[in-house]
Amino acid sequence: LPTCPVCLERMDSSVSGLLTILCNHTFHCECLSKWRTDSCCPVCRYVQLPVDMTEVCHSCETNQQLWICLICGHVGCGRYVNFHAHQHYKETMHTYALELETQRVWDYAGDGYVHRLIQNKTDGKLVEFPSPYQGSDLRDEVYKDSIKIEAVTSEYNFLLTSQLETQRAYFEQQISRLERDKQRKIHKLEEENKEVHTLRHNIDHLERTKTKQDAKVQKLTTMVENLLREVTFLKEVNESHTQNQDAWKKKLEEADHKLQDQLAERDRRIQDLEEQTHDLMVNIGAQNQIARAGGEVQEGQVFVVPAPAVTSPTASSSSSSSKSSSSGSRKGKGKK
């Protein structure tokens, strides 16, 4: 345990009260109260008188009976002004408050002062506050019991502090583990974010490609529809032409039959005309011969030799006419 700089005795909080001043030097309360030289620290001579500061209540801005919370530093007025300090205790459950004027500490939970040293307003020195249990034996016993209770409380506080330190170390390990897990998850999420970004880029590229392919498909579909309409039109035209072809074939056959009939009729008429011409030529030839013979031929007879079959209209007519004329002339001469 550390020693008191004034009496050089061990400083045990379970035996006597300890006080730490503004310069962080700790003394026994009785030793510090006997230091009558001035208000400076016995070790470093640091002036312990606080600097005058103009403080006001944070709620009503009054400067009378101000109390400052030892937990959060909130300044409020006392219960005899506007009761803001006690209202702060009800809201935050901060138990201890220091009266700025007398430097006394009030415990709202125990509803009493809990300080052991106060500062003298005349010379600024710290003096011991009288114990509420002095003046009788019973009170002395109660005071001793309270000291024992304080010692047990200090031991319990030490044990609780050690346990809290162990828990703090444990929870710090847990926090560090969670931090590592968080960093690992963040790294994993960043990688997944990159993959998602890449996939989105690929999806955008595929969507643009799909849009182009859809336009091409639409164009090809339109072309196919046009081709189908053209094929349908051509099929209709082909069917119409096929029907017209059948009709024209029938008409052509009819015209061919008609032409054949007309050619046959013409050949027949030509043959008749050739026969008539042949007969006429024979008759004319005979008449001419008779005329040249004069009256020598009497009671003669003229025989007409039939012409051979006609192969072609012109050749047959010419050959038959020449043969008939020669043969007729020969027969005519033989019959004279």
Side-chain angles (χ1 to χ4, degrees):
L1 296 175
T3 58
C4 177
V6 178
C7 65
L8 302 179
E9 297 291 336
R10 297 286 183 181
M11 291 189 297
D12 188 359
S13 60
S14 63
V15 177
S16 62
L18 302 178
L19 180 64
T20 302
I21 57 179
L22 298 177
C23 57
N24 290 328
H25 290 131
T26 305
F27 305 90
H28 289 127
C29 295
E30 295 179 356
C31 296
L32 190 62
S33 64
K34 294 177 182 179
W35 190 260
R36 300 179 180 275
T37 56
D38 51 19
S39 61
C40 298
C41 174
V43 178
C44 64
R45 313 299 296 172
Y46 180 78
V47 179
Q48 303 297 315
L49 290 176
V51 181
D52 294 335
M53 298 179 62
T54 305
E55 294 288 346
V56 293
C57 177
H58 290 176
S59 298
C60 62
E61 296 184 356
T62 183
N63 56 359
Q64 297 178 0
Q65 293 187 5
L66 297 179
W67 295 78
I68 183 170
C69 177
L70 296 180
I71 308 299
C72 64
H74 178 270
V75 178
C77 55
R79 65 183 64 187
Y80 300 107
V81 183
N82 290 322
F83 213 74
H84 289 144
H86 192 269
Q87 185 178 0
H88 172 71
Y89 159 69
K90 289 183 178 180
E91 292 176 354
T92 61
M93 299 304 295
H94 292 169
T95 308
Y96 299 104
L98 174 69
E99 187 178 9
L100 296 180
E101 185 176 359
T102 61
Q103 300 293 312
R104 293 185 295 180
V105 179
W106 180 265
D107 180 12
Y108 286 103
D111 197 19
Y113 290 105
V114 295
H115 61 277
R116 295 182 179 180
L117 296 177
I118 60 175
Q119 188 176 22
N120 192 353
K121 295 178 64 176
T122 305
D123 53 6
K125 294 183 178 180
L126 296 175
V127 296
E128 184 178 1
F129 191 73
S131 173
Y133 302 106
Q134 293 179 356
S136 65
D137 296 336
L138 179 62
R139 289 184 178 180
D140 291 339
E141 293 179 359
V142 171
Y143 180 70
K144 291 179 180 180
D145 292 337
S146 65
I147 291 176
K148 292 181 181 179
I149 292 173
E150 288 182 358
V152 172
T153 303
S154 299
E155 183 178 0
Y156 174 75
N157 290 332
F158 176 76
L159 179 62
L160 180 62
T161 303
S162 63
Q163 293 296 322
L164 290 176
E165 288 292 333
T166 305
Q167 292 184 0
R168 182 180 64 82
Y170 170 75
F171 284 113
E172 285 180 353
Q173 292 178 358
Q174 295 294 325
I175 291 172
S176 62
R177 184 179 61 82
L178 293 175
E179 287 290 336
R180 290 193 298 270
D181 294 340
K182 183 185 73 172
Q183 293 296 331
R184 186 172 62 255
K185 290 181 180 180
I186 288 173
H187 182 67
K188 185 177 180 180
L189 289 175
E190 288 178 353
E191 292 180 353
E192 292 179 353
N193 190 16
K194 291 180 181 178
E195 292 179 358
V196 169
H197 182 70
T198 305
L199 290 175
R200 285 180 179 176
H201 180 71
N202 294 332
I203 289 171
D204 294 336
H205 178 69
L206 291 175
E207 286 180 353
R208 290 193 295 269
T209 305
K210 179 179 176 295
T211 304
K212 293 180 181 178
Q213 295 297 329
D214 290 338
K216 290 182 180 179
V217 169
Q218 185 67 27
K219 186 177 180 180
L220 292 174
T221 304
T222 305
M223 292 176 64
V224 168
E225 291 177 355
N226 294 331
L227 290 174
L228 289 175
R229 285 196 294 270
E230 290 181 1
V231 168
T232 304
F233 174 73
L234 291 175
K235 285 182 179 180
E236 293 177 355
V237 171
N238 189 17
E239 292 177 357
S240 177
H241 287 172
T242 303
Q243 294 176 0
N244 293 333
Q245 184 179 5
D246 295 336
W248 283 108
K249 280 182 179 180
K250 292 180 181 179
K251 290 181 180 181
L252 183 60
E253 290 176 357
E254 292 177 358
D256 192 10
H257 290 306
K258 188 175 181 181
L259 181 60
Q260 293 295 333
D261 294 338
Q262 290 178 358
L263 290 175
E265 180 67 23
R266 188 195 65 179
D267 292 339
R268 187 181 60 80
R269 292 178 65 183
I270 289 172
Q271 187 177 2
D272 292 340
L273 290 174
E274 287 179 351
E275 290 178 357
Q276 292 177 8
T277 303
H278 180 266
D279 293 340
L280 183 59
M281 293 298 292
V282 170
N283 191 8
I284 292 172
Q287 289 180 3
N288 289 331
Q289 289 178 2
I290 293 172
R292 285 195 301 269
E296 295 178 355
V297 181
Q298 295 181 356
E299 297 178 1
Q301 293 182 358
V302 179
F303 295 95
V304 179
V305 180
V310 181
T311 58
S312 63
T314 57
S316 61
S317 62
S318 61
S319 61
S320 62
S321 61
S322 60
K323 289 180 181 179
S324 60
S325 60
S326 63
S327 60
S329 62
R330 287 197 297 268
K331 289 183 180 181
K333 291 180 181 180
K335 291 297 182 178
K336 285 180 181 179

